[in-house]
Amino acid sequence: MLIFFIRHGETVDNVGGIYAGVRDSELTNHGILQARSLADYFKQSRCPVSLILASPLQRARRTAEAILNAQNGNTGTQTNSGDAASRRPQATLVKTPLLIEQDFGFYEGKPFYARSSDYNKSGKDAHYDKHRQDPNFKDVESKESMAKRCDGFLDDFLVPAVHEREGQDTAIAVVSHGILLSNLWRRFLLRLARKSITIADEVTAAKGQILLEHLGGWSNTGFLEVRLTRRRDPDAGLVNDSQLPIDGQGTISTDDALSSIADMAAAEADADRTIPPVPTSTGEVADPDASSVLPKVTSRSRGLASFNLNILTVNGQEHMRGVKRARGGIGSAKYDEGQKSLDSFFKKAKK
């Protein structure tokens, strides 16, 4: 079974350099092209996607719908009844607010801030110090809140879906937002035994040394691809979650501190059009005790500890090979379903 963790296509706010967390920013024309290219790529080169779990914000929803339409043959392309594509099981799209991006609070809809004249402060830190006492100031959603949302999504959606589809040649797609995906990935890792995680040789060759908690940023429609398989005991056969040890408090302990919001944004800076630095309510670069305030993963919600995980693709962009942005600002403009395609403007009128 494959799982894809996918970031949405390019948005108007991405192009404009504007903070958009819970703000419902529209896809650009290029963003729609990215989503459709990804959808076609999955249909042609991967096993069928049976379930798509997505944020309801339109940038993620439209990206998810492109995948859904391609999987179910609703793309306007003729399919022969004997084709393998026509025999695919119908994919299902489920939207949940648990996958909505981090709430940037006061910064929603505002432009990114340049570095302050005070060299020791970033623009966002200086802006926070200036405005935090304003009566309408709303702080950024905390990492604790995001961790709880991610755990809720894993418990109620992803882990049950994995068990329902175990042993099937199928895939699950999770379509969300860059910062949420970074948090979700770290919470997902806590459900697995470290010795059960491997990285494909192709990934190591392309990316070099990989830090599991910091895989880098998601480009627009970039995807993380992993394969889950049930671990087998040579004597007892398939391993069940109930057979695996848990610490004395009934929890899976973690020594890995979730980095601050600022650290997370910095780790994503190496990807094309990645999530910009996020405002933070503290000037701390890192909190070594951050893990102590985050929710622990309980035995009830462990769920995946008996599975092996193989990381196959990190920030996959193969679907964008040969895809070019439309010139003249058209590619960066807001997508409008009613607009004509570029080719239609140059077709000769029929006599």
Side-chain angles (χ1 to χ4, degrees):
M1 177 193 307
L2 297 178
I3 302 178
F4 299 105
F5 297 92
I6 306 162
R7 187 185 173 204
H8 59 77
E10 179 191 83
T11 70
V12 173
D13 285 347
N14 289 155
V15 173
I18 294 173
Y19 288 109
V22 297
R23 174 182 165 93
D24 204 8
S25 181
E26 301 98 333
L27 290 180
T28 62
N29 288 320
H30 190 65
I32 284 288
L33 184 60
Q34 289 174 324
R36 291 175 178 172
S37 297
L38 176 66
D40 290 341
Y41 177 78
F42 280 167
K43 182 177 180 179
Q44 298 299 326
S45 66
R46 295 296 192 275
C47 63
V49 176
S50 61
L51 177 64
I52 306 166
L53 302 167
S55 159
L57 294 179
Q58 63 176 305
R59 56 192 186 269
R61 174 178 56 80
R62 285 186 178 274
T63 303
E65 287 172 347
I67 299 171
L68 179 74
N69 290 336
Q71 292 291 318
N72 293 345
N74 302 325
T75 59
T77 302
Q78 293 294 322
T79 303
N80 296 325
S81 59
D83 290 348
S86 68
R87 299 193 298 271
R88 286 172 176 257
Q90 292 289 290
T92 302
L93 170 60
V94 177
K95 292 167 284 186
T96 169
L98 293 172
L99 288 175
I100 286 176
E101 180 61 299
Q102 182 182 33
D103 187 343
F104 293 159
F106 180 81
Y107 300 90
E108 288 283 341
K110 293 182 172 61
F112 306 149
Y113 297 101
R115 178 165 289 280
S116 167
S117 56
D118 180 349
Y119 187 75
N120 293 320
K121 289 185 178 180
S122 66
K124 57 183 171 54
D125 290 336
H127 192 271
Y128 173 81
D129 289 342
K130 181 178 179 180
H131 292 281
R132 61 182 173 178
Q133 301 301 326
D134 291 357
N136 62 338
F137 186 85
K138 179 184 177 183
D139 210 345
V140 177
E141 181 183 7
S142 70
K143 54 182 176 287
E144 294 84 6
S145 171
M146 295 193 73
K148 289 179 181 178
R149 283 205 284 129
C150 291
D151 286 343
F153 170 74
L154 292 170
D155 289 339
D156 296 340
F157 291 92
L158 187 55
V159 172
V162 167
H163 285 284
E164 288 172 6
R165 291 161 177 77
E166 183 185 344
Q168 299 178 19
D169 184 23
T170 188
I172 300 170
V174 178
V175 185
S176 186
H177 313 266
I179 293 177
L180 189 285
L181 286 170
S182 293
N183 280 271
L184 179 61
W185 171 244
R186 291 169 192 169
R187 301 307 291 181
F188 181 77
L189 286 176
L190 296 180
R191 309 299 177 99
L192 297 153
R194 280 306 174 98
K195 64 181 180 181
S196 72
I197 302 172
T198 57
I199 302 173
D201 292 340
E202 295 82 359
V203 173
T204 304
K207 302 287 184 179
Q209 185 177 3
I210 296 289
L211 296 177
L212 285 178
E213 291 83 359
H214 300 277
L215 294 179
W218 269 264
S219 300
N220 290 121
T221 64
F223 62 90
L224 170 63
E225 177 184 8
V226 301
R227 183 182 299 279
L228 277 178
T229 54
R230 177 78 74 172
R231 192 157 69 253
R232 289 181 177 272
D233 183 288
D235 300 318
L238 291 176
V239 177
N240 296 317
D241 292 325
S242 59
Q243 296 173 270
L244 295 165
I246 301 174
D247 68 22
Q249 285 72 45
T251 64
I252 300 171
S253 59
T254 173
D255 296 325
D256 300 309
L258 184 63
S259 66
S260 67
I261 297 172
D263 282 347
M264 180 163 49
E268 293 176 339
D270 61 344
D272 177 42
R273 290 190 180 276
T274 55
I275 293 292
V278 182
T280 178
S281 60
T282 73
E284 298 171 351
V285 175
D287 179 3
D289 298 320
S291 61
S292 64
V293 298
L294 292 179
K296 290 187 176 181
V297 180
T298 66
S299 57
R300 179 191 70 81
S301 62
R302 190 173 191 181
L304 300 175
S306 60
F307 285 81
N308 288 324
L309 180 139
N310 186 217
I311 299 174
L312 303 175
T313 308
V314 174
N315 194 31
Q317 288 282 282
E318 295 88 347
H319 59 287
M320 292 303 295
R321 290 178 181 172
V323 177
K324 297 181 179 179
R325 179 185 297 275
R327 297 181 179 180
I330 296 174
S332 299
K334 180 178 73 173
Y335 172 71
D336 179 358
E337 284 185 297
Q339 68 190 2
K340 296 181 179 180
S341 67
L342 284 176
D343 292 341
S344 67
F345 286 105
F346 300 99
K347 288 181 179 178
K348 294 182 179 180
K350 293 183 179 180
K351 295 182 179 180

